[in-house]
Amino acid sequence: MNLTLKVWRQKNGQSAGHFDTYPARDVIEDMSFLEMLDVVNEDLIAAGKDPIAFDSDCREGICGMCSLVINGVPHGGHRGTATCQLHMRHFKDGETITIEPWRAEAFPIIKDVAVNRAAFDRIMQAGGFISVNTGGTPDGNAIPISKAVADKSMDAAACIGCGACVAACKNASAMLFVAAKVSQLNLLPQGEPEKHRRALAMVTQMDKEGFGSCTVTGSCEAVCPKEISLSFIAKLNRDYGIGALLGK
Amino acid sequence: MALESNIPSGPLAQKWDKHKFDIKLVNPANKRKFDVIVVGSGLAGASAAATLGELGYKVKCFCYQDSPRRAHSIAAQGGINAAKNYQNDGDSVHRLFYDTIKGGDFRAREANVYRLAQVSVNIIDQCVAQGVPFAREYGGLLSNRSFGGAQVSRTFYARGQTGQQLLLGAYSALCRQIGMGTVKMYPRTEMLDVVVIDGHAKGIIVRDLVSGEISSHAADAVVLATGGYGNVFFLSTNAKGCNATAIWRAYKKGAYLANPCYTQIHPTCIPVSGEHQSKLTLMSESLRNDGRVWVPKKKEDCDKAPGSIAEDDRDYYLERKYPSYGNLAPRDISSRAAKEACDQGRGVGPGKLGVYLDFADAIKRLGLNVIRERYGNLFDMYEKITGENAYQVPMRIYPAVHYTMGGTWVDYNLMSTLPGLFVLGEANFSDHGANRLGASALMQGLADGYFVLPYTIGNYFASSKQAKPSSSHAEFKRAEEEVRKFTQRLLSIKGKRTPTSLHRELGKLLWEKCGMGRNAAGLKEALKRIPELREEFWKTVNVTGEAMEFNQALEYAGRVADFMEFGELMCLDALDRNESCGGHFREEFQTPDGEAARNDEKYAYVAAWEFRGQNQAPVMHKETLEYTEVHMSTRSYK
Ligand SMILES: Cc1cc2nc3c(=O)[nH]c(=O)nc-3n(C[C@H](O)[C@H](O)[C@H](O)COP(=O)(O)OP(=O)(O)OC[C@H]3O[C@@H](n4cnc5c(N)ncnc54)[C@H](O)[C@@H]3O)c2cc1C
């Protein structure tokens, strides 16, 4: 099939961006979206032009590095699918596809459609951990954890930190990301001792980074490639509330 | 230089404890006087950086991704081994040790492997304490599954995302240290050289991938945890950015490379679908717990719908050939068996390069829900890529490059032949011999980072008593200049070929001549062709853009340039080893029934290659492998 791409081009963080239009020829169904872009980039290089800068690494939907807004939807709008796992069989011959970066103040553009998501790391550094050092930990089976709890924790832990939730949110809120991490740890007995402190610290850092506030529209959940549930936000709010009350 | 493995004396089971007692310590107050550079933030790098930070060292950690959480360890699916014997099925440290040595086809260093099996139990405890949500049984205890090459259930897992969860555990520990100021993190920063002063590694040269700035970082020791070199084949299950640059440039500075020809071809990957293919996707080995591998008995049946082929007309070749391990035969053996079936013209799917992995029986026996629970995310991934529903039709799989057992040579302390340069995880050669067993790479990465290096690096500091390095030393300036020149050279060619097309060509050559099967004639051909291709690269590559900007083409071209050299060493190593062992299958050396024929008399050694200068033949040094506790038997899974 032949497609037309409208791609956001921006030289760097300081300059203004614009859309450029490129043809994508002889695209086949089995290509992934990024493989389609690879081919377009090969053509651009051959024509002596600057290839489109976009992030990707594992190309298996797990590293969270890829990040495109495709036709207005982060990751292109296929349930539980990251951009790198989106395949061209979902597009039709002759279609025009718009490709943009994550747009959020807390995610400044580096070049074209690649953005800086270091804000997520800083939120993690504020409290996204259990305070144990290496060594001297009890036997793995010392604390039984019910399967239901372990599974729920795993549901939250599946977050890949891609930032699609932020990109989809009209307020560019990072609540789903923070809720996922807080829930993973706070659901487990190991995470219990620090649970209020953790929620408070991570939310405080999130606010500092310039993410907006959550109005629970659910747009984040809808685009999440790991289908992280909105209900974790409720858990975060509860742990945060008590944390704020206790002041720690 | 003679290779000194520094294996402690004494009985195998006591070596590590004895060594920990014998080695020198750095007292807690002095630790902050030592700067350590850790390159890589995968399981090995993140666990090392976090642990060193906790101990009080001043750590700098580097990775090329935008966040340490994205290192390729994230993609590991199936699980991590540990000799916990929670299943009471006869596992023990000794059995895990033995399975790993045997799995590695008796080409790994005994003392390292024993230590690995010993610390495996601590890893699980550590990860649980960090909040890694491992799978649990209804009673609340940890669950296990089986992996290839083992007859016990010792693999711990977190759905099909074990690597992700272990890495996020290590990353959270790293984040904690970054927050506390003991570790400084440099994401989107690529190491491009090691700096050597007075014979010791004293720092690195890096390029800031966003600004393009090249800078120097000095330290008392440098740790490389930069992962494997599988991408030398272009197509592999590795992430796009995985590379050999760090270990290759360290090699040129004196860190020998060991067994580069030992590469692992994983039997269960999604087959190639076309020329556009940018990478291959693994379907976890854990699927072989319940899936049955087969091809039609008759060539004529290959184009038929699999469901229409009668039971009697199917060849469950792993079960037939290896009845005691069946579908869980080790990777090298399963891969070769798949190739053999396809070479006989009995492959399925486009291009006939595929075999079936069929879940119909398991679904009948256990129900759809159990299978969904165990492997749901893998079935989803399969459907996204192929458009097929594997609950209804069997998966199609084919072997693909997956892991590299070879890597920088290290001694028992994980130090390379370049003093002060330590190498961990997939980047080193140490524990898997000629073939790695499933679920053992995660174990090794975390063992190295959490439980081995933090001890051994202290011994280096306490005993080597080196002068404090400074990044204003002339050596740093010189190395920076070299890196700048290299970058400029890449940018100045502006030829006709893209880095991708050249890389693809190299990869195809290596896959054909130094892949699943190798022979002397093919290797010699490759050794002739690679230098030509390299020359072509340096004449015709077109690297767009500039040095001082975010330039992905430039990053990539630099990695390809190194692969162009690395591939040659791989073939040289493969040609030298006139035997078959593990993942290294030399077609001239096989048993009458087509199994690998090892030659212990001549080749029971580690081949460690020394760089002697650009365009000069490298020199091979041998570390003889001695086994005190195991008998070097013929590896049989029949
Ligand atoms: C698809 C897949 C599935 C797997 N499943 C399993 C499994 O189930 N069980 C198992 O045990 N093993 C598995 N493995 C193998 C295992 O995941 C890897 O061997 C292991 O995770 C490697 O860890 P590492 O820390 O050594 O390297 P990596 O995780 O690859 O990390 C390398 C780090 O080095 C950095 N880096 C590299 N070069 C540079 C440079 N020049 N400058 C700066 N930074 C650099 C990267 O940014 C990254 O942070 C799997 C592998 C793959 C590919």
Side-chain angles (χ1 to χ4, degrees):
Chain A
M1 64 183 123
N2 293 312
L3 305 161
T4 304
L5 306 183
K6 271 181 66 187
V7 186
W8 185 259
R9 303 301 308 255
Q10 182 171 333
K11 192 156 174 43
N12 53 42
Q14 291 77 52
S15 54
H18 62 278
F19 282 103
D20 265 347
T21 305
Y22 306 102
R25 290 190 201 97
D26 304 325
V27 174
I28 61 172
E29 286 201 330
D30 281 333
M31 283 181 176
S32 71
F33 196 84
L34 298 181
E35 284 170 345
M36 182 273 294
L37 281 182
D38 288 342
V39 173
V40 170
N41 271 346
E42 288 286 289
D43 291 346
L44 285 175
I45 296 175
K49 294 189 188 144
D50 203 22
I52 303 158
F54 64 88
D55 276 325
S56 83
D57 204 28
C58 80
R59 298 205 175 186
E60 296 189 5
I62 193 78
C63 76
M65 189 97 176
C66 64
S67 62
L68 305 177
V69 175
I70 301 166
N71 289 337
V73 188
H75 292 307
H78 287 263
R79 238 183 102 90
T81 306
T83 296
C84 66
Q85 294 250 282
L86 177 63
H87 279 67
M88 297 312 291
R89 65 180 71 90
H90 299 294
F91 295 87
K92 283 194 260 342
D93 187 35
E95 212 176 314
T96 297
I97 306 174
T98 318
I99 303 173
E100 293 169 86
W102 282 179
R103 295 202 191 269
E105 222 175 274
F107 291 160
I109 290 177
I110 294 174
K111 182 176 178 180
D112 298 339
V113 287
V115 301
N116 178 348
R117 286 166 289 194
F120 270 11
D121 287 318
R122 288 188 294 268
I123 294 174
M124 282 291 295
Q125 289 153 19
F129 46 77
I130 289 173
S131 297
V132 288
N133 282 356
T134 302
T137 49
D139 184 84
N141 263 345
I143 320 166
I145 301 174
S146 87
K147 185 170 183 310
V149 167
D151 283 350
K152 193 92 210 138
S153 171
M154 180 62 216
D155 288 344
C159 167
I160 57 174
C162 63
C165 46
V166 174
C169 177
K170 63 182 165 61
N171 296 336
S173 166
M175 277 294 268
L176 193 63
F177 168 76
V178 176
K181 195 73 224 174
V182 164
S183 300
Q184 175 208 335
L185 299 177
N186 287 12
L187 279 162
L188 297 171
Q190 304 92 302
E192 175 76 24
E194 294 173 285
K195 75 175 181 191
H196 299 122
R197 204 170 148 220
R198 175 177 304 116
L200 194 61
M202 291 180 77
V203 169
T204 306
Q205 186 64 32
M206 174 181 82
D207 290 342
K208 252 196 234 163
E209 296 291 346
F211 292 102
S213 43
C214 173
T215 52
V216 209
T217 65
S219 60
C220 50
E221 184 189 63
V223 300
C224 174
K226 295 296 146 185
E227 302 177 75
I228 306 286
S229 162
L230 202 59
S231 64
F232 290 122
I233 294 183
K235 164 132 191 77
L236 168 61
N237 282 334
R238 192 171 65 236
D239 292 346
Y240 172 80
I242 299 176
L245 215 69
L246 297 172
K248 57 173 183 183
Chain B
M1 192 176 95
L3 291 171
E4 183 42 78
S5 59
N6 291 316
I7 299 169
S9 59
L12 189 61
Q14 284 151 37
K15 282 184 196 295
W16 180 231
D17 280 342
K18 177 176 173 305
H19 190 59
K20 281 194 288 185
F21 181 75
D22 288 344
I23 57 182
K24 294 191 181 136
L25 301 175
V26 178
N27 98 42
N30 281 340
K31 287 203 177 83
R32 68 189 144 77
K33 297 183 186 152
F34 291 96
D35 296 290
V36 186
I37 283 172
V38 179
V39 187
S41 64
L43 286 182
S47 59
T51 306
L52 293 173
E54 290 163 7
L55 287 172
Y57 292 109
K58 268 170 59 194
V59 183
K60 286 180 177 181
C61 182
F62 299 80
C63 73
Y64 71 75
Q65 292 93 346
D66 72 334
S67 162
R69 67 178 291 151
R70 308 204 200 282
H72 190 54
S73 295
I74 202 95
Q77 301 167 352
I80 177 166
N81 288 330
K84 282 287 201 185
N85 193 30
Y86 283 159
Q87 305 307 323
N88 193 31
D89 57 0
D91 201 7
S92 61
V93 165
H94 198 89
R95 187 175 295 281
L96 174 54
F97 152 72
Y98 182 74
D99 286 350
T100 309
I101 285 279
K102 176 184 168 194
D105 218 354
F106 302 92
R107 290 292 176 266
R109 191 189 285 148
E110 198 182 48
N112 286 52
V113 177
Y114 197 89
R115 173 178 65 191
L116 175 66
Q118 281 177 306
V119 303
S120 70
V121 297
N122 305 105
I123 295 172
I124 301 305
D125 301 343
Q126 185 62 33
C127 297
V128 168
Q130 290 168 342
V132 170
F134 282 122
R136 303 240 165 202
E137 303 294 350
Y138 282 104
L141 302 185
L142 292 158
S143 175
N144 289 118
R145 52 168 58 144
S146 308
F147 253 60
Q151 288 175 313
V152 294
S153 238
R154 62 158 79 96
T155 306
F156 294 78
Y157 62 101
R159 283 192 198 144
Q161 292 122 280
T162 316
Q164 180 198 25
Q165 294 312 315
L166 296 175
L167 182 63
L168 292 182
Y171 163 74
S172 71
L174 179 63
C175 282
R176 178 166 162 251
Q177 293 308 308
I178 297 170
M180 286 160 63
T182 59
V183 180
K184 185 157 167 43
M185 187 71 217
Y186 296 81
R188 290 205 200 261
T189 308
E190 185 168 37
M191 175 204 126
L192 294 176
D193 211 353
V194 182
V195 178
V196 182
I197 298 173
D198 299 333
H200 287 249
K202 284 295 170 198
I204 59 174
I205 309 295
V206 300
R207 180 168 178 270
D208 178 327
L209 298 179
V210 176
S211 69
E213 194 194 336
I214 287 168
S215 62
S216 295
H217 294 264
D220 297 283
V222 175
V223 179
L224 300 185
T226 48
Y229 51 84
N231 278 352
V232 67
F233 290 94
F234 186 76
L235 284 181
S236 84
T237 62
N238 286 191
K240 288 300 288 173
C242 291
N243 65 86
T245 289
I247 60 168
W248 187 251
R249 304 214 179 164
Y251 164 72
K252 291 185 167 179
K253 289 293 174 80
Y256 298 1
L257 268 171
N259 303 332
C261 80
Y262 290 166
T263 50
Q264 178 164 81
I265 316 282
H266 197 292
T268 55
C269 303
I270 300 179
V272 174
S273 71
E275 269 300 305
H276 60 272
Q277 193 95 28
S278 64
K279 72 153 288 172
L280 294 168
T281 302
L282 174 76
M283 289 282 103
S284 167
E285 175 159 302
S286 60
L287 290 168
R288 291 199 277 145
N289 272 286
D290 289 305
R292 297 178 70 195
V293 178
W294 64 277
V295 290
K297 280 187 183 157
K298 296 182 287 220
K299 280 187 200 172
E300 307 83 80
D301 286 350
C302 290
D303 288 319
K304 291 188 185 156
S308 71
I309 300 172
E311 199 56 33
D312 274 352
D313 291 329
R314 301 175 176 193
D315 178 13
Y316 294 91
Y317 57 83
L318 287 177
E319 297 170 26
R320 170 172 60 80
K321 292 174 74 169
Y322 307 102
S324 57
Y325 282 73
N327 292 295
L328 284 174
R331 293 178 173 174
D332 50 341
I333 289 177
S334 309
S335 291
R336 277 201 297 280
K339 179 175 188 291
E340 188 184 280
C342 294
D343 288 349
Q344 291 162 354
R346 298 190 292 141
V348 296
K352 299 274 184 298
L353 287 176
V355 302
Y356 290 125
L357 179 62
D358 197 337
F359 292 86
D361 284 350
I363 291 173
K364 225 181 283 163
R365 182 164 39 91
L366 302 163
L368 193 71
N369 282 341
V370 174
I371 296 300
R372 197 188 299 280
E373 163 108 340
R374 285 188 189 162
Y375 313 111
N377 72 316
L378 297 169
F379 279 60
D380 289 350
M381 193 191 278
Y382 184 79
E383 180 161 11
K384 276 176 199 152
I385 295 172
T386 62
E388 289 174 11
N389 179 340
Y391 296 105
Q392 286 162 6
V393 292
M395 287 183 180
R396 280 175 300 107
I397 53 166
Y398 196 67
V401 175
H402 175 62
Y403 181 86
T404 52
M405 283 75 68
T408 306
W409 185 90
V410 290
D411 68 2
Y412 188 74
N413 296 314
L414 304 183
M415 189 162 90
S416 69
T417 50
L418 173 58
L421 183 81
F422 294 79
V423 185
L424 320 183
E426 192 173 338
N428 77 23
F429 88 107
S430 75
D431 294 359
H432 307 293
N435 173 57
R436 173 177 70 79
L437 290 183
S440 288
L442 302 182
M443 169 172 76
Q444 184 222 333
L446 291 180
D448 289 358
Y450 284 135
F451 297 111
V452 179
L453 177 87
Y455 289 94
T456 59
I457 202 169
N459 185 48
Y460 169 72
F461 292 141
S463 46
S464 82
K465 300 260 190 302
Q466 286 287 306
K468 194 84 196 158
S470 151
S471 61
S472 55
H473 192 286
E475 251 330 286
F476 277 95
K477 297 296 148 220
R478 213 181 56 78
E480 270 189 30
E481 236 5 82
E482 289 288 313
V483 168
R484 276 197 196 93
K485 262 198 255 159
F486 182 83
T487 305
Q488 274 315 328
R489 193 172 156 216
L490 282 171
L491 286 165
S492 65
I493 300 164
K494 298 280 189 266
K496 287 243 170 314
R497 290 191 68 177
T498 62
T500 307
S501 80
L502 288 152
H503 187 188
R504 221 183 259 281
E505 193 174 338
L506 174 73
K508 204 156 169 267
L509 180 71
L510 290 172
W511 175 244
E512 278 163 11
K513 309 293 181 200
C514 196
M516 253 189 291
R518 299 132 183 219
N519 61 55
L523 289 165
K524 283 182 188 150
E525 234 179 281
L527 283 168
K528 186 168 163 287
R529 182 67 193 124
I530 295 169
E532 292 166 7
L533 193 61
R534 189 163 60 230
E535 206 181 306
E536 201 168 325
F537 175 90
W538 283 108
K539 275 199 186 124
T540 65
V541 75
N542 182 7
V543 185
T544 49
E546 291 152 34
M548 298 305 284
E549 63 172 357
F550 185 64
N551 186 340
Q552 293 172 316
L554 177 62
E555 284 167 36
Y556 177 52
R559 293 170 193 157
V560 177
D562 290 340
F563 284 141
M564 290 279 171
E565 299 183 351
F566 190 93
E568 188 176 357
L569 189 67
M570 244 171 80
C571 293
L572 213 56
D573 188 44
L575 184 62
D576 171 76
R577 194 166 278 281
N578 289 310
E579 64 161 351
S580 292
C581 59
H584 171 66
F585 191 72
R586 278 282 299 272
E587 285 151 359
E588 309 95 309
F589 306 101
Q590 45 181 308
T591 62
D593 51 352
E595 303 294 341
R598 242 177 35 221
N599 182 344
D600 293 337
E601 219 167 284
K602 280 196 160 146
Y603 292 96
Y605 62 76
V606 174
W609 297 87
E610 179 190 5
F611 180 73
R612 280 293 180 88
Q614 206 69 28
N615 302 320
Q616 282 191 49
V619 171
M620 195 239 280
H621 302 263
K622 295 179 185 174
E623 177 193 343
T624 305
L625 293 165
E626 278 156 21
Y627 295 94
T628 58
E629 296 267 326
V630 298
H631 171 66
M632 296 175 80
S633 58
T634 301
R635 194 164 154 248
S636 167
Y637 293 93
K638 295 209 159 156

